[in-house]
Amino acid sequence: MSNYDKNIFILTAGSEVLTANRKGGSFMINQASILSSLGYHVKFISVGFHSLSHLFKNKRYPSEEKINGFTIYRSYINWYFIQRLSPFGIKLFFQRKLLKKLFLDLKLRGELPDLIISHYTFYSGILASEISKEFNIPFIIQEHSSDFMNYGVSKIRIKMIKKLLSDQTIYCVSQKFANELSKLLEVKCSSFPNAINQIYEEKLPTKFSGKNIIVIGNLIPIKNIFDIIKAFKLAKISKEVNLKIFGKGPLEIKIMDLIKNDPDLNNRVKIVPYAPPKQLREELLNSLCLLHGAKYETFGVALVEALFCGSRVITTDVGIASELINNRNGVIVSNTDEMATALEKYCNNILSLKERIEISNEAKKKFGIEAYSNNIIKLINKNLN
């Protein structure tokens, strides 16, 4: 049996509900799709909790669903408490119970994996470690959650990680994040980037149009949307240039009020819901640039997607930025004045088709599907042998 005939399980444990329309778990679904296209037999396991709000939405996700050449197995229970305030041990107990039942059922069906790829150290990494010992299955941990830096980690959790994963490498989605997490958890960390949606691999068009600056991100404090809007207002650019923000979140009402009450912004700043990948790609293809002002990111998938579309990027020094941005494809900024200056430069200096193609090809060479496929094959083989 070649390694391409191996059964790979992708595991995520927590509250995230994975759906076929990719509203949740997109990184993992992208990974599963690529592995499936490479010939691996892929199953996706998601265990966790439905929140109280989910109960009111009256949604029911199938416990087993085939999409994109692989199967998703789901097992959730209703959870009527705030996730972040719920005791870690209790949540781990219930997730362990859900996962153990799934694995025992799969064992009876003769469908245990040759390798587990777990996403998130808490809780998936811990549970993968336990499953690995019980069923003698090797596992990989990939980490892309910003919770570690945003909310901190208790000493009890750090102690548990050091005990269970002392011999394990945690693969983080950027080198910057790997350095930070290694220092925090005192375990070995290395970098391994996220998989990008394959739709961004499509050939670039021969003509570009549009006068929008694009922002992509949740409307939450960490994304610095107010500073982004301030920089847009400060920039000396044509009044025909608009700022288009793709995102939703708790700050939406405050942001809408700011826009509504400022005549300089009222007709030039638009907030739209998240677009599906195909539509978002069209927006990036015809953008003047992507503007990204987050305080913290572990990766920054929007940066890579924008470059794949041949669009330049203005970003803070977060996630993958320092590994990705150079003087040809963008600029790293540290405040609103620098954002405004960069906006003036990019909005008054439109890229040629040749320049956009060069930006796109350079990014794809490093983070495209071919590079990702080669790297994930090496990582899988390393952990299988």
Side-chain angles (χ1 to χ4, degrees):
M1 179 186 289
S2 72
N3 280 350
Y4 291 104
D5 293 323
K6 299 293 186 180
N7 296 305
I8 308 293
F9 276 20
I10 295 174
L11 168 65
T12 179
S15 61
E16 189 168 41
V17 175
L18 297 157
T19 64
N21 63 7
R22 300 188 180 197
K23 287 185 179 177
S26 60
F27 297 140
M28 293 83 88
I29 287 179
N30 291 340
Q31 182 184 70
S33 298
I34 292 172
L35 289 175
S36 179
S37 70
L38 289 171
Y40 292 102
H41 306 296
V42 181
K43 289 184 173 65
F44 200 127
I45 292 183
S46 176
V47 298
F49 306 107
H50 287 318
S51 65
L52 185 61
S53 62
H54 176 87
L55 184 66
F56 291 124
K57 292 175 184 175
N58 196 30
K59 287 185 179 179
R60 293 293 180 268
Y61 299 99
S63 59
E64 187 172 331
E65 179 184 15
K66 292 185 181 295
I67 63 168
N68 300 342
F70 60 90
T71 304
I72 296 179
Y73 294 89
R74 302 183 182 89
S75 183
Y76 307 116
I77 59 174
N78 291 326
W79 190 259
Y80 303 127
F81 306 97
I82 298 172
Q83 285 275 355
R84 297 195 193 285
L85 300 182
S86 302
F88 169 72
I90 294 176
K91 290 193 292 183
L92 185 63
F93 170 81
F94 282 111
Q95 291 177 26
R96 181 186 289 118
K97 193 172 180 179
L98 293 170
L99 185 61
K100 184 74 175 293
K101 184 179 184 304
L102 268 176
F103 263 80
L104 289 174
D105 290 345
L106 290 168
K107 183 179 180 181
L108 288 174
R109 291 157 59 173
E111 296 180 12
L112 285 179
D114 298 295
L115 177 71
I116 299 169
I117 301 177
S118 65
H119 288 262
Y120 307 131
T121 309
F122 304 120
Y123 297 80
S124 305
I126 292 172
L127 295 177
S129 173
E130 295 175 357
I131 290 290
S132 174
K133 291 176 182 176
E134 182 170 351
F135 295 94
N136 193 29
I137 301 168
F139 70 104
I140 297 168
I141 299 176
Q142 288 194 267
E143 186 58 71
H144 37 86
S145 173
S146 60
D147 284 1
F148 289 101
M149 304 305 161
N150 293 340
Y151 303 103
V153 184
S154 68
K155 292 181 179 179
I156 294 175
R157 292 198 194 189
I158 292 176
K159 187 176 180 180
M160 180 180 289
I161 288 294
K162 290 172 71 174
K163 180 180 178 181
L164 293 176
L165 304 175
S166 59
D167 297 328
Q168 194 77 14
T169 297
I170 298 177
Y171 291 92
C172 302
V173 290
S174 68
Q175 188 58 56
K176 187 182 183 74
F177 181 36
N179 295 339
E180 293 167 340
L181 195 61
S182 178
K183 184 177 180 180
L184 178 67
L185 299 181
E186 299 179 23
V187 295
K188 184 179 179 181
C189 296
S190 185
S191 64
F192 194 92
N194 273 324
I196 307 301
N197 192 314
Q198 295 180 62
I199 196 170
Y200 288 94
E201 293 281 339
E202 293 179 9
K203 188 176 179 181
L204 298 189
T206 57
K207 292 183 179 180
F208 299 90
S209 61
K211 295 182 179 180
N212 292 328
I213 298 163
I214 302 297
V215 178
I216 301 171
N218 296 324
L219 305 184
I220 54 178
I222 198 172
K223 297 297 183 180
N224 264 348
I225 302 298
F226 289 103
D227 281 356
I228 286 173
I229 294 174
K230 181 181 177 182
F232 175 73
K233 186 176 178 179
L234 285 173
K236 298 182 175 107
I237 55 179
S238 169
K239 298 297 183 182
E240 294 182 0
V241 174
N242 298 317
L243 184 69
K244 206 166 185 180
I245 303 170
F246 288 87
K248 297 174 69 175
L251 293 179
E252 183 172 356
I253 293 176
K254 287 186 177 181
I255 295 170
M256 291 293 289
D257 285 343
L258 172 66
I259 296 167
K260 181 180 178 180
N261 296 322
D262 191 325
D264 290 335
L265 302 174
N266 196 10
N267 295 316
R268 298 180 62 207
V269 180
K270 299 178 182 178
I271 297 178
V272 295
Y274 282 120
K278 186 175 181 180
Q279 181 186 338
L280 196 54
R281 179 176 182 266
E282 287 298 318
E283 295 283 352
L284 288 169
L285 283 170
N286 293 297
S287 67
L288 293 169
C289 65
L290 175 82
L291 183 54
H292 194 77
K295 297 177 184 177
Y296 188 81
E297 294 273 10
T298 58
F299 183 63
V301 66
L303 310 184
V304 185
E305 291 171 346
L307 294 181
F308 276 23
C309 293
S311 184
R312 289 174 294 196
V313 169
I314 301 168
T315 180
T316 45
D317 188 9
V318 293
I320 205 79
S322 61
E323 302 172 54
L324 186 67
I325 302 302
N326 55 50
N327 57 12
R328 296 180 300 279
N329 62 22
V331 62
I332 295 175
V333 298
S334 57
N335 54 56
T336 52
D337 288 337
E338 291 180 4
M339 280 187 201
T341 299
L343 283 173
E344 292 170 8
K345 178 181 177 181
Y346 290 169
C347 292
N348 296 319
N349 179 23
I350 308 300
L351 290 173
S352 66
L353 173 61
K354 180 182 178 183
E355 288 172 320
R356 294 194 75 129
I357 291 173
E358 287 174 351
I359 287 173
S360 177
N361 289 342
E362 183 179 24
K364 288 176 181 177
K365 186 176 180 180
K366 192 169 184 179
F367 293 99
I369 186 171
E370 184 176 351
Y372 184 87
S373 298
N374 290 336
N375 289 330
I376 194 72
I377 289 169
K378 290 176 184 176
L379 184 60
I380 288 172
N381 291 344
K382 176 182 176 182
N383 284 272
L384 283 174
N385 297 328

